[in-house]
Amino acid sequence: QSTFQVYRDLSTWEIQIQVLPEGCHEESCSETEKMKWPECISHGQTIRSVANAGVFVNLAAFGITDGCFREDCTYTDHFSSGSPATCARTCASIRACRWWSFWTSHTGGTCWLRRHDQQRDAMLESMTASRDCLPTFAPTVAEVEPTLFQLAKDAVLGPTTTRQWDLAKVLESFGHSTPSQIQLRGDSPLRRSAICVAQKLTEATDAD
């Protein structure tokens, strides 16, 4: 099924008029259609709230209570999000939301809901995608994925595991990140260790 609706101008047979879906640029829509999660995410970019781009809705209805506009989650275009997956799922649940941006920080992350992507800016530790960019499996909007610090607090690991994955360095660099956020970071030996630590911590927490 094509993304574009095509109309012919019958007065001039050579002309075709393409009507794009609302809030969608031709290039970005085509790219999103071809790619799957997480390749459909654009890294190092954010979408600014200009030209009525912000989607202000009642996120409290989704069980969201933190990090909202003026601390009011009943009318907000952003919220504290545990992972890009949660951000993507939230946007997909709101009809007016066509794009989302996710900012990572030492305190977690912020999800921004957008009606269009007319103003994109470069921004480190930020990513953006269309509402069609969804993980195969994602937490519901009411869930908050725990960070490594939160997982480590509730898990018990033996000294061998702690030394094997250099837990101290992993927590120093990735402690405020969730497993989903770590998966989206650039590849490095420490990131690979962090992924292993996240798996071990999750298993240890589930065992308890």
Side-chain angles (χ1 to χ4, degrees), residues 36-190:
K36 296 182 179 180
W37 182 278
E39 288 77 16
C40 52
I41 298 175
S42 298
H43 293 266
Q45 295 183 2
T46 189
I47 301 173
R48 295 299 182 187
S49 182
V50 297
N52 198 32
V55 178
F56 285 81
V57 292
N58 179 13
L59 292 179
F62 293 98
I64 295 171
T65 59
D66 188 40
C68 299
F69 177 68
R70 296 180 178 175
E71 304 303 322
D72 180 8
C73 291
T74 64
Y75 183 75
T76 182
D77 68 337
H78 63 275
F79 64 97
S80 293
S81 175
S83 70
T86 300
C87 186
R89 180 59 61 86
T90 305
C91 178
S93 301
I94 299 169
R95 180 177 298 181
C97 185
R98 308 298 302 181
W99 295 86
W100 55 266
S101 289
F102 183 82
W103 297 0
T104 59
S105 69
H106 68 280
T107 57
T110 302
C111 176
W112 299 83
L113 308 176
R114 295 292 180 250
R115 186 170 281 104
H116 58 72
D117 68 332
Q118 293 179 7
Q119 180 63 55
R120 291 196 183 205
D121 287 340
M123 181 177 178
L124 294 175
E125 302 298 325
S126 177
M127 60 195 76
T128 189
S130 78
R131 65 176 289 136
D132 297 320
C133 181
L134 281 169
T136 305
F137 300 101
T140 62
V141 294
E143 293 176 349
V144 177
E145 189 176 9
T147 65
L148 287 196
F149 278 138
Q150 292 170 329
L151 287 171
K153 180 182 66 174
D154 299 326
V156 178
L157 297 177
T160 302
T161 302
T162 302
R163 290 193 301 269
Q164 181 181 1
W165 303 116
D166 204 348
L167 184 60
K169 286 187 177 180
V170 166
L171 290 177
E172 182 180 357
S173 298
F174 297 97
H176 291 288
S177 300
T178 66
S180 295
Q181 292 171 346
I182 295 170
Q183 290 282 356
L184 296 171
R185 299 283 288 273
D187 189 36
S188 69
L190 191 59

